[in-house]
Amino acid sequence: MSPHLDDAVFSVGATLAALAAAGWTVEVLTCFTASVPDPSPFALSTQLDKGLPTHVDYMELRRAEDVAACRVLHAVPVHLPLPEAPHRGYGSAADLFTGVHPDDRIGPALVTALRPRLRAADLVLAPQALGRHVDHRVVAEAVAVCATGVLWWRDVPYVSRAPDEPPWQAVPDGVEQPVDIDAHLDAKIRSAGCYTTQLDFQFGGPQRVGPALSTVAAAEAARLGRPGAVEALWGPVDRLADTCLRESATMTEPGTGHGGQR
């Protein structure tokens, strides 16, 4: 489950690769991928500041990047035709982090789109909405309505800016569980590199993707007292135990330190 075309791969791509390698059918369902004719000035600026001219269908280009990224992970991309926040009346970068607009009705529409898909899923991974981006919040809230037993991932790059931020209030109580991703970090880095329109903005250039994601994985491991590289998931202990990830993950004991229950 991904709010935008890159969030899931940047945040939990190695875990997705591990699941696919173990024989799971992995879908990366991205919620906000619609192309919108005649975008607003702010929405248009999000492509112009990346050097893309006005006539380019920015979201079509990003969907193609996502297809390539998922191919690296042996995952199936699924694109919901819902508009991103800049196409829903959010008029600036700051506006994306100040809460859901009263007239923004995307939440109910997203619940309607997700409910049948999540009912059919054996396992759902979704964002904790660290950073409080409105689209991440809306996705977390919709998933919490539609599914139980979810494993919630920590949002990159926001996790680097606020590593101690708790999951968004819509995320149910759980336990933080580290997943050893040493064997799949390279696949994550190669997959992330497919989002070419985003690399300068998010990482400072293609050559910095690997170092940046490796640093995040090492910092997550250190935060949880683990060696190597880690992606952290939040949720019920038994859900991680149901997957191939159990052998590489050591559960953080409830009530101890940052990884305890809430």
Side-chain angles (χ1 to χ4, degrees):
M1 183 68 57
S2 189
H4 305 118
L5 293 155
D6 61 22
D7 289 320
V9 171
F10 288 171
S11 302
V12 75
T15 298
L16 299 178
L19 288 166
W24 287 69
T25 298
V26 176
E27 289 187 351
V28 178
L29 189 157
T30 306
C31 298
F32 304 117
T33 79
S35 295
V36 176
D38 301 319
S40 69
F42 174 53
L44 183 59
S45 74
T46 64
Q47 72 181 63
L48 296 178
D49 64 12
K50 297 175 179 66
L52 299 172
T54 305
H55 69 272
V56 170
D57 186 333
Y58 180 44
M59 297 307 295
E60 181 180 37
L61 181 58
R62 294 196 63 192
R63 291 192 298 269
E65 293 174 345
D66 190 57
V67 170
C70 288
R71 188 179 299 121
V72 173
L73 302 180
H74 302 286
V76 178
V78 178
H79 300 150
L80 296 184
L82 298 173
E84 292 185 321
H87 298 298
R88 304 198 310 271
Y90 295 81
S92 68
D95 199 17
L96 298 174
F97 300 92
T98 56
V100 179
H101 287 184
D103 60 349
D104 185 356
R105 300 299 300 159
I106 201 68
L110 182 58
V111 168
T112 298
L114 290 182
R115 184 170 277 127
R117 292 181 175 274
L118 300 193
R119 282 177 179 164
D122 294 316
L123 176 67
V124 176
L125 277 65
Q128 294 181 21
L130 305 185
R132 307 305 189 241
H133 188 294
V134 62
D135 282 342
H136 291 233
R137 283 179 49 178
V138 168
V139 170
E141 289 164 4
V143 173
V145 168
C146 294
T148 59
V150 177
L151 292 175
W152 304 85
W153 42 262
R154 283 162 59 82
D155 312 55
V156 173
Y158 304 108
V159 67
S160 297
R161 303 167 192 168
D164 296 323
E165 183 176 306
W168 177 239
Q169 62 192 24
V171 175
D173 290 351
V175 175
E176 191 164 49
Q177 306 170 66
V179 178
D180 182 345
I181 61 166
D182 276 320
H184 299 283
L185 180 56
D186 181 64
K188 176 180 182 174
I189 291 168
R190 288 186 287 110
S191 180
C194 294
Y195 298 103
T196 55
T197 62
Q198 307 303 304
L199 301 183
D200 286 342
F201 175 71
Q202 296 288 6
F203 299 105
Q207 73 282 358
R208 299 183 66 178
V209 175
L213 292 179
S214 296
T215 296
V216 170
E220 289 288 86
R223 183 179 64 86
L224 296 174
R226 295 288 302 275
V230 157
E231 288 173 346
L233 299 175
W234 175 278
V237 169
D238 60 341
R239 293 304 286 137
L240 193 67
D242 288 340
T243 75
C244 65
L245 306 173
R246 177 180 60 183
E247 294 179 359
S248 63
T250 301
M251 310 295 182
T252 305
E253 290 298 324
T256 60
H258 185 79
Q261 294 177 333
R262 69 163 172 81

